Amino acid sequence: MHTNQGDPMNIQFKKGVLEICVLSVLAHKDCYGYELVAEISKKIDISEGTIYPLLHRLKDEGHVTTYLQESAGGPPRKYYRLTESGRKEEHEQKEEWMQFAASVNALLERKNDAAE
Amino acid sequence: MLQNESEYIRILKDRLGGTLPREELDDIVSDYSEHFRMGLANGRTDEELWRSLGSPDDVAREIKAMHLVKRAENMKSCGNIFHAVIATVGLGLFNLVFVLAPFLLLICMVLVVFIIGVMFAVFGPFAFAYSILQLAGLPVFAIWLNPVAGVFISIGITTTGLLLVIWDYYLARFFYRVGIKYLKWNIAVIAGTEDVS
């Protein structure tokens, strides 16, 4: 058995759901990069570097935009905000994930019942 | 080698400079310098931040692959898809099997269909001319047992050849479209996950 962090299957799993996580956090509130990374790595143990290329792609696809905002006693920070299409995307992916997770859970729980 | 912000940024700029437009590169670089700045302000060290971000070479490779796939999507050409595939293959050994091998296989399929189509389309008219000569009773040795049937068969062969070539064009376009989708998915999910420890 591998450790959680090192198991490639697990890492791919995390990388695959990263997009919906980023969209979801941004649907809640606008974030600057570091804040978003901190928010997500609190819950999911993933290399912080993978989030920035993802943000870049989302921006490229028009799902997020950025704007600069002054911060208290420091240079301005780059904030990420969901666009209209980003909100739609978030909604769709969330629905999809919920359904998928519910199906998988139902299947796994049934297996446990049978084992008992 | 010093593992700090300026070195990280230098490597990113060096690896991406030739590929990405200036504006896009600046945009990406600003994210990473902000990350270092915020991290240091939060009491983390340069080395720690470097490690958690992952090597700048890997980051650059992924961004480059993303960019090249996008370019191949926007401007369809053999050269662009080739560069996109090579960049994606470069993301991990894994992709030799899951990107390069299927890519070569599809190219071979398209080529084989094209060659067969062209052969039919070239051979057909010759066979047609021959059966006409044979019908006219010219002293050529007979390749058709029945020259009338030969006329129709050779028309059939020519048409099949032309249809194959046309169909091959649509097949190639279809492969292109699906290929782009697959490369995007591959980069988003698989790339860079095999050697994270």
Side-chain angles (χ1 to χ4, degrees), chain A residues 52-101:
Chain A
Y52 290 111
L54 173 64
L55 280 171
H56 181 65
R57 174 163 62 84
L58 289 173
K59 187 177 179 184
D60 208 61
E61 291 169 351
H63 294 326
V64 302
T65 54
T66 55
Y67 60 94
L68 287 176
Q69 197 175 62
E70 298 300 322
S71 62
R77 290 175 189 153
K78 191 161 90 177
Y79 276 79
Y80 286 86
R81 177 175 56 203
L82 279 193
T83 61
E84 224 15 77
S85 85
R87 283 195 188 281
K88 216 175 125 223
E89 188 71 19
E90 192 264 340
H91 195 73
E92 283 170 11
Q93 288 200 22
K94 192 168 162 185
E95 288 285 301
E96 236 173 85
W97 173 260
M98 291 295 188
Q99 276 179 18
F100 175 69

Side-chain angles (χ1 to χ4, degrees), chain B residues 116-177:
Chain B
I116 293 175
V118 167
M119 271 164 54
F120 274 32
V122 169
F123 172 75
F126 279 109
F128 180 76
Y130 207 93
S131 46
I132 294 293
L133 287 178
Q134 218 180 313
L135 265 183
L138 280 166
V140 282
F141 62 91
I143 56 166
W144 297 105
L145 286 177
N146 178 347
V148 179
V151 170
F152 290 106
I153 292 173
S154 52
I155 289 175
I157 290 174
T158 313
T159 319
T160 307
L162 291 175
L163 284 177
L164 272 180
V165 172
I166 294 168
W167 181 70
D168 193 43
Y169 169 74
Y170 287 101
L171 185 72
R173 280 178 55 128
F174 173 73
F175 285 164
Y176 197 105
R177 221 173 43 236

Side-chain angles (χ1 to χ4, degrees), chain B residues 1 3-4 7-13 15-16 32 36 50-51 53-63:
Chain B
M1 186 187 66
Q3 295 199 324
N4 60 19
E7 179 64 10
Y8 203 95
I9 300 301
R10 187 194 67 73
I11 295 176
L12 276 186
K13 280 186 170 167
R15 305 295 189 268
L16 293 172
Y32 286 91
F36 268 99
W50 182 297
R51 202 159 358 98
L53 280 177
S55 107
D57 284 288
D58 288 345
V59 168
R61 264 195 287 269
E62 182 173 349
I63 292 174

Side-chain angles (χ1 to χ4, degrees), chain A residues 5 10-19 21-22 36-37 40-51 54, chain B residues 44 51-54 188-189 192-193 196:
Chain A
Q5 174 77 42
N10 215 327
I11 300 166
Q12 276 158 27
F13 203 67
K14 288 174 193 162
K15 204 180 172 197
V17 296
L18 195 58
E19 182 172 332
C21 295
V22 168
L36 186 64
V37 170
I40 289 178
S41 53
K42 244 192 319 202
K43 306 271 189 211
I44 304 174
D45 185 17
I46 191 158
S47 160
E48 300 180 351
T50 51
I51 293 183
L54 173 64
Chain B
R44 298 168 72 185
R51 202 159 358 98
S52 74
L53 280 177
V189 176
T193 54
V196 179

Side-chain angles (χ1 to χ4, degrees), chain A residues 8 11-16 18 46-47 49-51 53-54 57, chain B residues 57-66 69 84-96 98-99 182-196:
Chain A
I11 300 166
Q12 276 158 27
F13 203 67
K14 288 174 193 162
K15 204 180 172 197
L18 195 58
I46 191 158
S47 160
T50 51
I51 293 183
L54 173 64
R57 174 163 62 84
Chain B
D57 284 288
D58 288 345
V59 168
R61 264 195 287 269
E62 182 173 349
I63 292 174
K64 194 171 176 176
M66 257 159 53
V69 170
V85 167
I86 294 303
T88 312
V89 169
L91 295 177
L93 275 179
F94 191 73
N95 274 350
L96 281 178
F98 287 93
V99 176
Y182 176 67
L183 288 180
K184 280 185 173 176
W185 175 83
N186 182 288
I187 296 170
V189 176
I190 292 181
T193 54
E194 58 180 290
D195 53 6
V196 179

Side-chain angles (χ1 to χ4, degrees), chain B residues 91-113:
Chain B
L91 295 177
L93 275 179
F94 191 73
N95 274 350
L96 281 178
V97 177
F98 287 93
V99 176
L100 190 62
F103 176 70
L104 292 177
L105 194 78
L106 294 187
I107 286 185
C108 284
M109 270 180 71
V110 169
L111 272 181
V112 164
V113 173

